[in-house]
Amino acid sequence: MADLVGVINTLLEELTKLPGIGPKSAERIAHFLLSGDRGNAVSLAVALRSVAEKVRPCRECFNLTEGEVCPVCSDPRRDPAVVCVVGTPRDLGSFERAGNFRGRYHVLGGRLAPLDGVGPERLTFSALAERVRKGGVREVILATSPTLEGDGTALFVFNLLSGSGVTVTRLARGLPSGSSLELANAQMLAEALDGRRAF
Ligand SMILES: [Zn+2]
């Protein structure tokens, strides 16, 4: 794409900010959007604007949602006494695809990473402690990724909740250590959840 006009340049810059998109992929996407009628580009722009404006964290669990409360928290068939603590909404999605969990979630918003400057104040620990303090929670399942940072984050939650009276469990060690939950398949996650044990 020689002799770029400004708006195309801006588009390429924005595209290369996306995860997994390098300059070559950005050019391919830009060519696609600019070819033929511009319907695809306009639909994409509308979809992006909609998510930017409408999607926000669930008031209860910090899952991403369009309303005040996410579909899991507003489902009366989901057991509010069992709370699965995950790092990100993507991890929550992985457990939902696994399909065997009937409790609710708490999304931390990442993992503790002191070397990257991510301390406890950046995650939703205090909201979790408050949720437990209000009562009605019987078990908290720590389902952070089986990485060094994920384990550190789980330990932080365990210490945070010690003395609260809730049972704290963690996933069975069926998951490959050092991997992220995003890479685990549905069957593995379902088994890890079923085989959970005391922290
Ligand atoms: Zn929710």
Side-chain angles (χ1 to χ4, degrees), residues 58 60-63 69-70 73:
C58 167
E60 301 288 323
C61 76
F62 297 89
N63 183 18
V69 176
C70 79
C73 290

Side-chain angles (χ1 to χ4, degrees), residues 94-102 186 190:
S94 300
F95 280 105
E96 285 300 283
R97 277 190 296 282
N100 65 332
F101 182 60
R102 302 310 301 158

Side-chain angles (χ1 to χ4, degrees), residues 57-65 68-74 92 104-105 131:
C58 167
R59 197 181 58 202
E60 301 288 323
C61 76
F62 297 89
N63 183 18
L64 293 177
T65 181
E68 286 280 302
V69 176
C70 79
V72 175
C73 290
S74 52
L92 187 157
R104 303 213 182 157
Y105 294 95
R131 204 170 156 186

